[in-house]
Amino acid sequence: MKLKVAAASLLSVVLLATCAACGGNSASGDGKVNMTMMHNSTLASGKNYYEKMAKEFEKANPNVSIQIQAIQNEDYEGKIQTAMQDQDSAPDIFYSRGGQKLRDMVEAGQVQDITDTISSTVKQQMKTGLASHTVDGKVYGVPSSMQPGGFWYSKDLFSKAGIAEPPKTLAELKTDVQLLQSAGITPIGLAAKDAWPVGHWWYHFSMRECPTAVFKKGMIDKKFDDPCWTKAGDDLKNVIGWDAFNKGYLTTSAQQGASSSAGLLANHQVAMELTVASEPGVIKDLTADGKDMADLGFFAFPAVDGAKGDQTAMMGGADGMACSVKAPKECVKFLNFLSEKQNQEEYATVIGTIPASVEAQGVVKNQALKEDIDAFNKASTMYLWMDTQLGTNVGTALNTSVVNLLTGKGSPQDIVKDVKEAVKKG
């Protein structure tokens, strides 16, 4: 299939007292290799997958032992930053979103250059995803999934409200929100407690409002002087005025339990949610029967009338795994193992996502994910999430400032101001 992505340039849980799940980087005199792994898949499906992969790898490599620590997604960034400060106790294998966040770790000397040790399968089947884990021409991580984001919605609730097809423009989205409200249906789920889901609204509006050259330049020089960045905040403020979000959205989490925004969609308490491509897999663990949400659908972020940005571009991520700088050679061997076709197929099936390996993407059966793939293939390009591109410090400041807009404590102008201040602080 045809996959496209923007250029790469755009692109602890408390540590256990015994440190059983803390850094390994060790090989004993008898040839035994003990590795540790840290990832963000805390749902049963993800945890079980990685446990299974570790056991299969250990069986094929009897000298290797892998201890795994799963960290809740919203806690992961802080935990991995703390863990990576001491390379003698850092996890050998760790989940990575790529982009500036990975570059920051590379520049801090925390990540291993695996350019010459990744397999031919990775090089040939994962070219698109590799861009997000490449820094200055060198590879520092292996992608596991492609994550083009957008709106996930209930086809049944849309139909109940008299909506025949998903909106293609912001004006149509507003009309659909009004139809859902008239039908007594809460239109949009939002998880402001975790900040990043709110940030995603501003990211998408920025992509639509800012001319392509301006948007790309902003991700590199981080100056944000063009009025389009403020216009993105104006657009979001307008949406806030629709009163379309779930009650209690300021204290709603993104993926934790039935009361999360994903849980609300899974159980038909909201009609749609703007979020990442892992949504179908998350929802599967939150439905009443533990099965795929039968009426789940997908549509890309709508075009904004009169905006000067790319109206067909998408935004998302390319999740993957990397090796800490002191990890043994078995680390990249394990990453190559995870990238084999059958393991990528199982990953996509179990997690409910789009595998990074092109040859494994035929395994995707979930209709909503198929719709996501179709939208992705029609898109002009895909940019990495803005907080990923801008790095942890700037990205966190951005997300927090967008939440302030939501609560009435900030303005569209304040978002740009706060981002600029964060850039100055580094």
PDB file of all heavy atoms in Angstrom, residues 193-213:
ATOM      1  N   LYS A 193      -8.324  16.149  31.220  1.00  0.00           N
ATOM      2  CA  LYS A 193      -7.454  15.820  32.353  1.00  0.00           C
ATOM      3  C   LYS A 193      -6.051  15.472  31.885  1.00  0.00           C
ATOM      4  O   LYS A 193      -5.060  15.788  32.554  1.00  0.00           O
ATOM      5  CB  LYS A 193      -8.050  14.651  33.142  1.00  0.00           C
ATOM      6  CG  LYS A 193      -7.199  14.215  34.328  1.00  0.00           C
ATOM      7  CD  LYS A 193      -7.828  13.035  35.050  1.00  0.00           C
ATOM      8  CE  LYS A 193      -6.954  12.577  36.215  1.00  0.00           C
ATOM      9  NZ  LYS A 193      -7.548  11.399  36.917  1.00  0.00           N
ATOM     10  N   ASP A 194      -5.942  14.823  30.736  1.00  0.00           N
ATOM     11  CA  ASP A 194      -4.645  14.382  30.222  1.00  0.00           C
ATOM     12  C   ASP A 194      -3.989  15.394  29.290  1.00  0.00           C
ATOM     13  O   ASP A 194      -2.896  15.141  28.787  1.00  0.00           O
ATOM     14  CB  ASP A 194      -4.792  13.033  29.519  1.00  0.00           C
ATOM     15  CG  ASP A 194      -5.150  11.921  30.485  1.00  0.00           C
ATOM     16  OD1 ASP A 194      -4.685  11.982  31.640  1.00  0.00           O
ATOM     17  OD2 ASP A 194      -5.891  10.997  30.104  1.00  0.00           O
ATOM     18  N   ALA A 195      -4.639  16.502  29.031  1.00  0.00           N
ATOM     19  CA  ALA A 195      -4.105  17.642  28.265  1.00  0.00           C
ATOM     20  C   ALA A 195      -3.869  17.349  26.780  1.00  0.00           C
ATOM     21  O   ALA A 195      -4.319  18.107  25.917  1.00  0.00           O
ATOM     22  CB  ALA A 195      -2.817  18.178  28.911  1.00  0.00           C
ATOM     23  N   TRP A 196      -3.128  16.291  26.450  1.00  0.00           N
ATOM     24  CA  TRP A 196      -2.793  16.079  25.037  1.00  0.00           C
ATOM     25  C   TRP A 196      -4.015  15.932  24.129  1.00  0.00           C
ATOM     26  O   TRP A 196      -3.969  16.385  22.971  1.00  0.00           O
ATOM     27  CB  TRP A 196      -1.841  14.896  24.875  1.00  0.00           C
ATOM     28  CG  TRP A 196      -2.347  13.549  25.300  1.00  0.00           C
ATOM     29  CD1 TRP A 196      -2.122  12.933  26.498  1.00  0.00           C
ATOM     30  CD2 TRP A 196      -3.148  12.628  24.544  1.00  0.00           C
ATOM     31  NE1 TRP A 196      -2.739  11.705  26.551  1.00  0.00           N
ATOM     32  CE2 TRP A 196      -3.365  11.491  25.355  1.00  0.00           C
ATOM     33  CE3 TRP A 196      -3.703  12.650  23.261  1.00  0.00           C
ATOM     34  CZ2 TRP A 196      -4.115  10.385  24.937  1.00  0.00           C
ATOM     35  CZ3 TRP A 196      -4.453  11.560  22.827  1.00  0.00           C
ATOM     36  CH2 TRP A 196      -4.650  10.438  23.664  1.00  0.00           C
ATOM     37  N   PRO A 197      -5.137  15.303  24.578  1.00  0.00           N
ATOM     38  CA  PRO A 197      -6.283  15.234  23.661  1.00  0.00           C
ATOM     39  C   PRO A 197      -6.826  16.616  23.296  1.00  0.00           C
ATOM     40  O   PRO A 197      -7.329  16.815  22.187  1.00  0.00           O
ATOM     41  CB  PRO A 197      -7.314  14.433  24.469  1.00  0.00           C
ATOM     42  CG  PRO A 197      -6.501  13.622  25.434  1.00  0.00           C
ATOM     43  CD  PRO A 197      -5.404  14.556  25.826  1.00  0.00           C
ATOM     44  N   VAL A 198      -6.722  17.572  24.223  1.00  0.00           N
ATOM     45  CA  VAL A 198      -7.143  18.943  23.934  1.00  0.00           C
ATOM     46  C   VAL A 198      -6.151  19.588  22.975  1.00  0.00           C
ATOM     47  O   VAL A 198      -6.531  20.284  22.025  1.00  0.00           O
ATOM     48  CB  VAL A 198      -7.238  19.768  25.239  1.00  0.00           C
ATOM     49  CG1 VAL A 198      -7.729  21.191  24.926  1.00  0.00           C
ATOM     50  CG2 VAL A 198      -8.177  19.093  26.231  1.00  0.00           C
ATOM     51  N   GLY A 199      -4.868  19.319  23.216  1.00  0.00           N
ATOM     52  CA  GLY A 199      -3.832  19.844  22.333  1.00  0.00           C
ATOM     53  C   GLY A 199      -4.037  19.420  20.893  1.00  0.00           C
ATOM     54  O   GLY A 199      -3.765  20.182  19.957  1.00  0.00           O
ATOM     55  N   HIS A 200      -4.530  18.199  20.699  1.00  0.00           N
ATOM     56  CA  HIS A 200      -4.728  17.688  19.341  1.00  0.00           C
ATOM     57  C   HIS A 200      -5.668  18.559  18.520  1.00  0.00           C
ATOM     58  O   HIS A 200      -5.519  18.661  17.300  1.00  0.00           O
ATOM     59  CB  HIS A 200      -5.253  16.249  19.396  1.00  0.00           C
ATOM     60  CG  HIS A 200      -4.179  15.247  19.675  1.00  0.00           C
ATOM     61  ND1 HIS A 200      -4.320  13.904  19.422  1.00  0.00           N
ATOM     62  CD2 HIS A 200      -2.940  15.395  20.182  1.00  0.00           C
ATOM     63  CE1 HIS A 200      -3.218  13.262  19.760  1.00  0.00           C
ATOM     64  NE2 HIS A 200      -2.373  14.146  20.232  1.00  0.00           N
ATOM     65  N   TRP A 201      -6.639  19.178  19.172  1.00  0.00           N
ATOM     66  CA  TRP A 201      -7.539  20.072  18.442  1.00  0.00           C
ATOM     67  C   TRP A 201      -6.762  21.267  17.876  1.00  0.00           C
ATOM     68  O   TRP A 201      -6.928  21.626  16.714  1.00  0.00           O
ATOM     69  CB  TRP A 201      -8.652  20.568  19.372  1.00  0.00           C
ATOM     70  CG  TRP A 201      -9.748  19.570  19.575  1.00  0.00           C
ATOM     71  CD1 TRP A 201      -9.791  18.545  20.485  1.00  0.00           C
ATOM     72  CD2 TRP A 201     -10.970  19.487  18.827  1.00  0.00           C
ATOM     73  NE1 TRP A 201     -10.955  17.836  20.358  1.00  0.00           N
ATOM     74  CE2 TRP A 201     -11.707  18.399  19.350  1.00  0.00           C
ATOM     75  CE3 TRP A 201     -11.513  20.232  17.786  1.00  0.00           C
ATOM     76  CZ2 TRP A 201     -12.961  18.033  18.860  1.00  0.00           C
ATOM     77  CZ3 TRP A 201     -12.768  19.874  17.295  1.00  0.00           C
ATOM     78  CH2 TRP A 201     -13.474  18.790  17.826  1.00  0.00           C
ATOM     79  N   TRP A 202      -5.897  21.843  18.690  1.00  0.00           N
ATOM     80  CA  TRP A 202      -5.110  22.997  18.228  1.00  0.00           C
ATOM     81  C   TRP A 202      -4.117  22.579  17.162  1.00  0.00           C
ATOM     82  O   TRP A 202      -3.894  23.315  16.194  1.00  0.00           O
ATOM     83  CB  TRP A 202      -4.394  23.638  19.423  1.00  0.00           C
ATOM     84  CG  TRP A 202      -3.812  24.987  19.121  1.00  0.00           C
ATOM     85  CD1 TRP A 202      -4.454  26.192  19.145  1.00  0.00           C
ATOM     86  CD2 TRP A 202      -2.454  25.279  18.754  1.00  0.00           C
ATOM     87  NE1 TRP A 202      -3.585  27.219  18.817  1.00  0.00           N
ATOM     88  CE2 TRP A 202      -2.338  26.686  18.577  1.00  0.00           C
ATOM     89  CE3 TRP A 202      -1.313  24.495  18.563  1.00  0.00           C
ATOM     90  CZ2 TRP A 202      -1.150  27.312  18.218  1.00  0.00           C
ATOM     91  CZ3 TRP A 202      -0.117  25.123  18.210  1.00  0.00           C
ATOM     92  CH2 TRP A 202      -0.047  26.517  18.033  1.00  0.00           C
ATOM     93  N   TYR A 203      -3.531  21.395  17.308  1.00  0.00           N
ATOM     94  CA  TYR A 203      -2.585  20.904  16.289  1.00  0.00           C
ATOM     95  C   TYR A 203      -3.253  20.857  14.923  1.00  0.00           C
ATOM     96  O   TYR A 203      -2.705  21.332  13.916  1.00  0.00           O
ATOM     97  CB  TYR A 203      -2.108  19.482  16.595  1.00  0.00           C
ATOM     98  CG  TYR A 203      -1.486  19.216  17.933  1.00  0.00           C
ATOM     99  CD1 TYR A 203      -1.255  17.896  18.326  1.00  0.00           C
ATOM    100  CD2 TYR A 203      -1.113  20.232  18.808  1.00  0.00           C
ATOM    101  CE1 TYR A 203      -0.680  17.599  19.549  1.00  0.00           C
ATOM    102  CE2 TYR A 203      -0.535  19.943  20.031  1.00  0.00           C
ATOM    103  CZ  TYR A 203      -0.323  18.620  20.402  1.00  0.00           C
ATOM    104  OH  TYR A 203       0.229  18.318  21.603  1.00  0.00           O
ATOM    105  N   HIS A 204      -4.438  20.249  14.910  1.00  0.00           N
ATOM    106  CA  HIS A 204      -5.129  20.075  13.627  1.00  0.00           C
ATOM    107  C   HIS A 204      -5.547  21.415  13.022  1.00  0.00           C
ATOM    108  O   HIS A 204      -5.435  21.630  11.811  1.00  0.00           O
ATOM    109  CB  HIS A 204      -6.351  19.172  13.800  1.00  0.00           C
ATOM    110  CG  HIS A 204      -6.023  17.708  13.850  1.00  0.00           C
ATOM    111  ND1 HIS A 204      -5.724  17.051  15.011  1.00  0.00           N
ATOM    112  CD2 HIS A 204      -5.924  16.793  12.861  1.00  0.00           C
ATOM    113  CE1 HIS A 204      -5.479  15.777  14.748  1.00  0.00           C
ATOM    114  NE2 HIS A 204      -5.586  15.600  13.445  1.00  0.00           N
ATOM    115  N   PHE A 205      -6.043  22.318  13.852  1.00  0.00           N
ATOM    116  CA  PHE A 205      -6.425  23.626  13.338  1.00  0.00           C
ATOM    117  C   PHE A 205      -5.194  24.380  12.812  1.00  0.00           C
ATOM    118  O   PHE A 205      -5.273  25.097  11.813  1.00  0.00           O
ATOM    119  CB  PHE A 205      -7.131  24.447  14.419  1.00  0.00           C
ATOM    120  CG  PHE A 205      -8.601  24.138  14.543  1.00  0.00           C
ATOM    121  CD1 PHE A 205      -9.158  23.823  15.777  1.00  0.00           C
ATOM    122  CD2 PHE A 205      -9.428  24.165  13.431  1.00  0.00           C
ATOM    123  CE1 PHE A 205     -10.519  23.544  15.895  1.00  0.00           C
ATOM    124  CE2 PHE A 205     -10.788  23.878  13.528  1.00  0.00           C
ATOM    125  CZ  PHE A 205     -11.336  23.569  14.767  1.00  0.00           C
ATOM    126  N   SER A 206      -4.054  24.219  13.479  1.00  0.00           N
ATOM    127  CA  SER A 206      -2.822  24.860  12.997  1.00  0.00           C
ATOM    128  C   SER A 206      -2.434  24.328  11.627  1.00  0.00           C
ATOM    129  O   SER A 206      -2.022  25.089  10.746  1.00  0.00           O
ATOM    130  CB  SER A 206      -1.682  24.611  13.990  1.00  0.00           C
ATOM    131  OG  SER A 206      -1.942  25.218  15.233  1.00  0.00           O
ATOM    132  N   MET A 207      -2.567  23.021  11.458  1.00  0.00           N
ATOM    133  CA  MET A 207      -2.232  22.391  10.185  1.00  0.00           C
ATOM    134  C   MET A 207      -3.154  22.893   9.067  1.00  0.00           C
ATOM    135  O   MET A 207      -2.727  23.041   7.918  1.00  0.00           O
ATOM    136  CB  MET A 207      -2.341  20.874  10.337  1.00  0.00           C
ATOM    137  CG  MET A 207      -1.992  20.063   9.112  1.00  0.00           C
ATOM    138  SD  MET A 207      -2.012  18.286   9.489  1.00  0.00           S
ATOM    139  CE  MET A 207      -3.760  18.018   9.864  1.00  0.00           C
ATOM    140  N   ARG A 208      -4.408  23.159   9.414  1.00  0.00           N
ATOM    141  CA  ARG A 208      -5.366  23.648   8.423  1.00  0.00           C
ATOM    142  C   ARG A 208      -5.194  25.149   8.154  1.00  0.00           C
ATOM    143  O   ARG A 208      -5.345  25.609   7.028  1.00  0.00           O
ATOM    144  CB  ARG A 208      -6.794  23.385   8.907  1.00  0.00           C
ATOM    145  CG  ARG A 208      -7.175  21.911   8.987  1.00  0.00           C
ATOM    146  CD  ARG A 208      -7.343  21.308   7.614  1.00  0.00           C
ATOM    147  NE  ARG A 208      -7.792  19.929   7.679  1.00  0.00           N
ATOM    148  CZ  ARG A 208      -7.017  18.881   7.449  1.00  0.00           C
ATOM    149  NH1 ARG A 208      -5.735  19.058   7.121  1.00  0.00           N
ATOM    150  NH2 ARG A 208      -7.502  17.655   7.509  1.00  0.00           N
ATOM    151  N   GLU A 209      -4.867  25.939   9.191  1.00  0.00           N
ATOM    152  CA  GLU A 209      -4.792  27.388   9.050  1.00  0.00           C
ATOM    153  C   GLU A 209      -3.464  27.868   8.466  1.00  0.00           C
ATOM    154  O   GLU A 209      -3.422  28.837   7.711  1.00  0.00           O
ATOM    155  CB  GLU A 209      -5.019  28.067  10.405  1.00  0.00           C
ATOM    156  CG  GLU A 209      -6.439  27.995  10.919  1.00  0.00           C
ATOM    157  CD  GLU A 209      -7.415  28.858  10.120  1.00  0.00           C
ATOM    158  OE1 GLU A 209      -6.968  29.613   9.219  1.00  0.00           O
ATOM    159  OE2 GLU A 209      -8.624  28.780  10.384  1.00  0.00           O
ATOM    160  N   CYS A 210      -2.365  27.232   8.832  1.00  0.00           N
ATOM    161  CA  CYS A 210      -1.046  27.718   8.417  1.00  0.00           C
ATOM    162  C   CYS A 210      -0.645  27.164   7.047  1.00  0.00           C
ATOM    163  O   CYS A 210      -0.699  25.945   6.826  1.00  0.00           O
ATOM    164  CB  CYS A 210       0.009  27.324   9.440  1.00  0.00           C
ATOM    165  SG  CYS A 210      -0.197  28.139  11.044  1.00  0.00           S
ATOM    166  N   PRO A 211      -0.221  28.032   6.125  1.00  0.00           N
ATOM    167  CA  PRO A 211       0.296  27.549   4.845  1.00  0.00           C
ATOM    168  C   PRO A 211       1.384  26.512   5.087  1.00  0.00           C
ATOM    169  O   PRO A 211       2.117  26.587   6.088  1.00  0.00           O
ATOM    170  CB  PRO A 211       0.862  28.818   4.202  1.00  0.00           C
ATOM    171  CG  PRO A 211       0.053  29.922   4.805  1.00  0.00           C
ATOM    172  CD  PRO A 211      -0.180  29.501   6.230  1.00  0.00           C
ATOM    173  N   THR A 212       1.494  25.552   4.202  1.00  0.00           N
ATOM    174  CA  THR A 212       2.419  24.429   4.391  1.00  0.00           C
ATOM    175  C   THR A 212       3.829  24.878   4.753  1.00  0.00           C
ATOM    176  O   THR A 212       4.446  24.357   5.695  1.00  0.00           O
ATOM    177  CB  THR A 212       2.460  23.561   3.119  1.00  0.00           C
ATOM    178  OG1 THR A 212       1.142  23.044   2.875  1.00  0.00           O
ATOM    179  CG2 THR A 212       3.417  22.402   3.303  1.00  0.00           C
ATOM    180  N   ALA A 213       4.350  25.851   4.033  1.00  0.00           N
ATOM    181  CA  ALA A 213       5.716  26.324   4.293  1.00  0.00           C
ATOM    182  C   ALA A 213       5.833  26.917   5.694  1.00  0.00           C
ATOM    183  O   ALA A 213       6.837  26.737   6.385  1.00  0.00           O
ATOM    184  CB  ALA A 213       6.125  27.350   3.244  1.00  0.00           C
TER     185      ALA A 213
END
